[in-house]
Amino acid sequence: QDWPYHGPLRLRTALANDYLAAAAQLYQRVGAENAWQTAWQFGLTSLGERPSGAGTFAEFLEKEVTLLESVHAFSVFSNLGSQTGQKLSLDSASGAAADLSPVAVLRVEDSAGNLLLDWSSSLERPIVSPQMAYLVNHVLSDEVARWPSLGHPNPLEIGRPAGARLATSLDGAQSVTVGYIPQRVAGVWVGSAGSEDQPVPALSSAALWHAVIKVAA
Protein backbone atom coordinates (compact mmCIF):
# COMPACT_ATOMS: atom_id res chain seq x y z
CA GLN A 1 0.00 0.00 0.00
CA ASP A 2 1.18 3.54 -0.78
CA TRP A 3 0.27 5.44 2.39
CA PRO A 4 1.40 9.05 2.95
CA TYR A 5 4.88 9.43 4.39
CA HIS A 6 5.04 11.65 7.47
CA GLY A 7 8.76 11.40 8.13
CA PRO A 8 10.37 10.18 11.36
CA LEU A 9 7.95 10.43 14.27
CA ARG A 10 7.15 8.83 17.60
CA LEU A 11 4.97 5.74 17.64
CA ARG A 12 2.67 7.62 20.01
CA THR A 13 1.99 10.25 17.35
CA ALA A 14 1.56 7.67 14.60
CA LEU A 15 -1.04 5.67 16.54
CA ALA A 16 -2.90 8.75 17.74
CA ASN A 17 -3.26 10.03 14.17
CA ASP A 18 -3.94 6.71 12.45
CA TYR A 19 -0.84 6.80 10.26
CA LEU A 20 -1.15 3.38 8.61
CA ALA A 21 2.43 3.19 7.34
CA ALA A 22 3.70 3.12 10.93
CA ALA A 23 1.05 0.57 11.92
CA ALA A 24 2.09 -1.66 9.02
CA GLN A 25 5.74 -1.54 10.14
CA LEU A 26 4.74 -2.44 13.70
CA TYR A 27 2.61 -5.32 12.38
CA GLN A 28 5.60 -6.68 10.49
CA ARG A 29 7.86 -6.41 13.53
CA VAL A 30 5.57 -8.23 15.98
CA GLY A 31 4.52 -10.79 13.36
CA ALA A 32 1.14 -11.73 11.96
CA GLU A 33 0.66 -14.60 14.40
CA ASN A 34 1.16 -12.37 17.45
CA ALA A 35 -1.03 -9.59 16.04
CA TRP A 36 -3.98 -11.89 15.34
CA GLN A 37 -3.60 -13.76 18.62
CA THR A 38 -3.59 -10.50 20.58
CA ALA A 39 -6.71 -9.31 18.76
CA TRP A 40 -8.48 -12.56 19.70
CA GLN A 41 -7.44 -12.19 23.35
CA PHE A 42 -9.11 -8.79 23.40
CA GLY A 43 -12.33 -10.33 22.10
CA LEU A 44 -12.12 -9.26 18.45
CA THR A 45 -13.31 -12.64 17.24
CA SER A 46 -15.13 -11.21 14.21
CA LEU A 47 -11.72 -11.04 12.55
CA GLY A 48 -12.01 -14.76 12.01
CA GLU A 49 -9.10 -17.13 11.72
CA ARG A 50 -5.76 -15.79 10.58
CA PRO A 51 -5.33 -16.17 6.81
CA SER A 52 -3.07 -18.96 5.63
CA GLY A 53 0.48 -17.92 4.94
CA ALA A 54 1.99 -14.76 6.35
CA GLY A 55 -1.24 -12.86 6.89
CA THR A 56 -0.40 -9.40 5.56
CA PHE A 57 -1.34 -6.08 7.12
CA ALA A 58 -3.58 -5.39 4.13
CA GLU A 59 -5.55 -8.55 4.92
CA PHE A 60 -5.79 -7.41 8.52
CA LEU A 61 -7.25 -4.06 7.42
CA GLU A 62 -9.86 -5.74 5.22
CA LYS A 63 -11.41 -7.48 8.23
CA GLU A 64 -14.34 -5.96 10.09
CA VAL A 65 -15.22 -6.18 13.78
CA THR A 66 -18.46 -5.21 15.45
CA LEU A 67 -18.82 -1.98 17.38
CA LEU A 68 -19.63 -3.94 20.54
CA GLU A 69 -16.39 -5.93 20.21
CA SER A 70 -14.41 -2.73 19.77
CA VAL A 71 -15.94 -1.13 22.85
CA HIS A 72 -15.32 -4.30 24.89
CA ALA A 73 -11.67 -4.38 23.76
CA PHE A 74 -11.08 -0.74 24.73
CA SER A 75 -12.56 -1.39 28.17
CA VAL A 76 -9.49 -3.50 28.96
CA PHE A 77 -7.33 -0.37 29.00
CA SER A 78 -9.73 1.52 31.25
CA ASN A 79 -9.76 -1.44 33.65
CA LEU A 80 -5.99 -1.73 34.24
CA GLY A 81 -5.56 -4.54 31.72
CA SER A 82 -8.43 -6.81 32.79
CA GLN A 83 -11.44 -7.86 30.75
CA THR A 84 -14.83 -8.04 32.44
CA GLY A 85 -18.05 -9.75 31.39
CA GLN A 86 -19.80 -13.09 31.61
CA LYS A 87 -19.14 -16.58 30.27
CA LEU A 88 -21.89 -17.21 27.76
CA SER A 89 -20.74 -20.49 26.25
CA LEU A 90 -18.21 -23.30 26.40
CA ASP A 91 -15.44 -23.95 23.94
CA SER A 92 -16.74 -26.82 21.83
CA ALA A 93 -13.31 -28.41 21.51
CA SER A 94 -12.10 -28.40 25.10
CA GLY A 95 -15.28 -27.85 27.06
CA ALA A 96 -13.59 -24.96 28.84
CA ALA A 97 -15.30 -21.67 29.47
CA ALA A 98 -15.14 -19.29 26.52
CA ASP A 99 -13.88 -15.70 26.71
CA LEU A 100 -15.85 -13.18 28.71
CA SER A 101 -18.54 -11.32 26.78
CA PRO A 102 -20.44 -8.10 27.47
CA VAL A 103 -24.10 -8.56 28.47
CA ALA A 104 -27.11 -6.26 28.54
CA VAL A 105 -29.29 -8.19 31.03
CA LEU A 106 -27.90 -8.31 34.56
CA ARG A 107 -30.77 -9.81 36.58
CA VAL A 108 -33.88 -11.89 35.81
CA GLU A 109 -36.71 -12.85 38.18
CA ASP A 110 -39.93 -14.76 37.53
CA SER A 111 -43.41 -13.52 38.44
CA ALA A 112 -43.05 -15.01 41.95
CA GLY A 113 -39.83 -13.13 42.62
CA ASN A 114 -37.58 -16.17 42.26
CA LEU A 115 -34.14 -15.28 41.01
CA LEU A 116 -33.43 -16.93 37.65
CA LEU A 117 -30.27 -15.07 36.66
CA ASP A 118 -27.89 -12.81 38.52
CA TRP A 119 -25.07 -11.24 36.57
CA SER A 120 -24.90 -8.07 38.66
CA SER A 121 -21.30 -8.98 39.56
CA SER A 122 -19.10 -9.37 36.50
CA LEU A 123 -16.28 -11.86 36.09
CA GLU A 124 -12.78 -10.67 35.35
CA ARG A 125 -9.66 -12.02 33.66
CA PRO A 126 -6.31 -10.37 32.94
CA ILE A 127 -5.42 -9.65 29.31
CA VAL A 128 -2.33 -7.46 29.63
CA SER A 129 -0.29 -6.26 32.60
CA PRO A 130 -1.41 -3.12 34.45
CA GLN A 131 1.85 -1.49 33.38
CA MET A 132 1.14 -2.13 29.69
CA ALA A 133 -2.47 -0.96 30.08
CA TYR A 134 -1.21 2.25 31.67
CA LEU A 135 1.17 2.95 28.78
CA VAL A 136 -1.50 2.36 26.13
CA ASN A 137 -3.98 4.45 28.08
CA HIS A 138 -1.40 7.25 28.25
CA VAL A 139 -1.09 7.20 24.47
CA LEU A 140 -4.84 7.02 23.81
CA SER A 141 -5.51 9.93 26.16
CA ASP A 142 -2.74 12.18 24.83
CA GLU A 143 -4.66 15.16 23.44
CA VAL A 144 -1.58 16.93 22.06
CA ALA A 145 -0.57 13.85 20.04
CA ARG A 146 -3.92 13.98 18.19
CA TRP A 147 -3.62 17.60 17.09
CA PRO A 148 -1.81 16.97 13.74
CA SER A 149 -4.87 15.20 12.31
CA LEU A 150 -7.76 16.52 14.43
CA GLY A 151 -6.65 20.03 15.27
CA HIS A 152 -7.36 21.85 18.52
CA PRO A 153 -9.94 21.91 19.92
CA ASN A 154 -11.56 18.71 18.63
CA PRO A 155 -14.48 16.44 19.66
CA LEU A 156 -12.23 13.95 21.48
CA GLU A 157 -11.42 16.61 24.07
CA ILE A 158 -14.05 16.54 26.83
CA GLY A 159 -12.40 18.61 29.55
CA ARG A 160 -10.85 15.62 31.33
CA PRO A 161 -8.50 12.77 30.36
CA ALA A 162 -10.21 10.33 28.02
CA GLY A 163 -8.70 7.50 26.00
CA ALA A 164 -10.23 7.62 22.53
CA ARG A 165 -9.66 6.68 18.91
CA LEU A 166 -11.32 7.95 15.78
CA ALA A 167 -11.18 5.85 12.62
CA THR A 168 -12.56 6.35 9.13
CA SER A 169 -12.90 3.65 6.50
CA LEU A 170 -10.63 3.93 3.48
CA ASP A 171 -13.56 4.95 1.25
CA GLY A 172 -14.79 7.54 3.78
CA ALA A 173 -18.23 5.90 4.04
CA GLN A 174 -17.88 4.94 7.71
CA SER A 175 -16.67 6.75 10.79
CA VAL A 176 -16.14 5.07 14.16
CA THR A 177 -15.15 6.54 17.50
CA VAL A 178 -14.52 4.47 20.62
CA GLY A 179 -13.37 6.01 23.87
CA TYR A 180 -13.52 5.78 27.61
CA ILE A 181 -13.17 7.41 30.97
CA PRO A 182 -12.59 5.28 34.09
CA GLN A 183 -16.32 4.83 34.69
CA ARG A 184 -17.69 4.51 31.16
CA VAL A 185 -16.80 3.19 27.71
CA ALA A 186 -18.75 4.31 24.64
CA GLY A 187 -18.62 3.68 20.92
CA VAL A 188 -20.33 5.41 18.00
CA TRP A 189 -20.60 4.30 14.37
CA VAL A 190 -21.78 6.57 11.56
CA GLY A 191 -22.25 5.22 8.05
CA SER A 192 -24.23 5.49 4.85
CA ALA A 193 -27.62 3.76 4.91
CA GLY A 194 -28.15 3.90 1.15
CA SER A 195 -27.47 1.26 -1.47
CA GLU A 196 -24.37 3.18 -2.48
CA ASP A 197 -21.83 4.14 0.15
CA GLN A 198 -21.68 7.89 0.53
CA PRO A 199 -18.92 9.73 2.39
CA VAL A 200 -19.80 10.85 5.91
CA PRO A 201 -18.31 13.84 7.75
CA ALA A 202 -14.95 12.74 9.12
CA LEU A 203 -15.67 13.92 12.67
CA SER A 204 -19.34 12.91 12.80
CA SER A 205 -18.88 9.88 15.04
CA ALA A 206 -16.46 11.81 17.26
CA ALA A 207 -18.99 14.61 17.76
CA LEU A 208 -21.68 12.12 18.76
CA TRP A 209 -19.27 10.28 21.05
CA HIS A 210 -18.41 13.58 22.73
CA ALA A 211 -22.08 14.18 23.53
CA VAL A 212 -22.67 10.62 24.76
CA ILE A 213 -19.64 10.45 27.04
CA LYS A 214 -20.34 13.90 28.52
CA VAL A 215 -23.89 12.85 29.45
CA ALA A 216 -22.81 9.41 30.68
CA ALA A 217 -20.09 10.87 32.89
Side-chain angles (χ1 to χ4, degrees), residues 9 34 38 49 56 60 85 91 97 99 102 106 108 113 147 185 190 192 216:
L9 44 79
N34 290 330
T38 300
E49 297 294 335
T56 65
F60 197 80
D91 184 275
D99 294 341
L106 301 181
V108 177
W147 289 356
V185 184
V190 175
S192 173

Side-chain angles (χ1 to χ4, degrees), residues 104-128:
V105 177
L106 301 181
R107 184 180 177 91
V108 177
E109 297 180 359
D110 63 16
S111 58
N114 298 313
L115 183 62
L116 303 180
L117 176 70
D118 186 4
W119 279 346
S120 55
S121 296
S122 60
L123 302 176
E124 186 172 309
R125 73 184 186 101
I127 302 297
V128 295

Side-chain angles (χ1 to χ4, degrees), residues 153-159 177 186 188 203-217:
N154 62 73
L156 298 187
E157 299 173 359
I158 63 172
T177 297
V188 174
L203 298 180
S204 55
S205 65
L208 289 173
W209 174 85
H210 180 102
V212 169
I213 205 70
K214 290 281 283 188
V215 171

Side-chain angles (χ1 to χ4, degrees), residues 3 9-10 55 98 145:
W3 291 303
L9 44 79
R10 300 171 65 190

